[in-house]
Every structure is written in structure tokens, then in C-alpha cells.
Amino acid sequence: VLLLLVGSASAQAPRLGAAVEAAHAAGALDGVVVLIEAGTVRYARAVGRAERAFGTPTAVDMRFPVASVTKQMAAVVALQLAA
């Protein structure tokens, strides 16, 4: 899930926290959410399990294999920079 927020990261952090908790409670999110503004982490939260079969909890510093998911994100960024 990719969520883009517009505006000040400091102002968006409480809304993001509520959205993360709601998504996790609904069973729609297990993972890590990080909000960075100007190189500074403004919000970081890990929810759920990284590996449900083993019960491994997620952690903010955990690495996840993303396969080809990043190609679409890179394409969007490149198109935005070109516009």
C-alpha cells in the first residue's frame, strides 16, 4: 500500500497514525509505515506480523522484499520530475 500525503509531515502524522491503526484493525495492513520530511523521520510505526506462519512481529528496522513493486514507484517519480 502506498499512501501519499500532501502538506506538512508534522501536521499529517496524527492522521497517519489513526489511518495505520484503522487499517491494521481491519486486517488490511501488516507492515511498516514511515513518514519522512526533509530527511527527518516524523512518524514510524510497525504493526502486525512480518511472517504469519511463524508469528514474527514486524519492526521499524525490518527489511521487506519488494520485488518489482518499486518499478512503478520509480516510474511515477520520473514522470513527475519530467512534468
Side-chain angles (χ1 to χ4, degrees):
V1 174
L2 176 61
L3 175 65
L4 300 175
L5 300 173
V6 178
S8 168
S10 299
Q12 298 295 336
R15 287 182 42 206
L16 180 58
V20 167
E21 293 303 326
H24 177 63
L29 175 65
D30 281 324
V32 177
V33 177
V34 179
L35 178 63
I36 300 172
E37 180 180 44
T40 302
V41 175
R42 301 292 183 186
Y43 176 88
R45 176 83 166 100
V47 294
R49 303 282 174 210
E51 180 60 57
R52 289 183 180 160
F54 300 110
T56 307
T58 58
V60 173
D61 62 347
M62 186 172 279
R63 292 180 181 231
F64 293 90
V66 292
S68 295
V69 174
T70 56
K71 291 177 186 174
Q72 291 86 352
M73 289 184 238
V76 169
V77 171
L79 290 171
Q80 287 178 339
L81 290 173

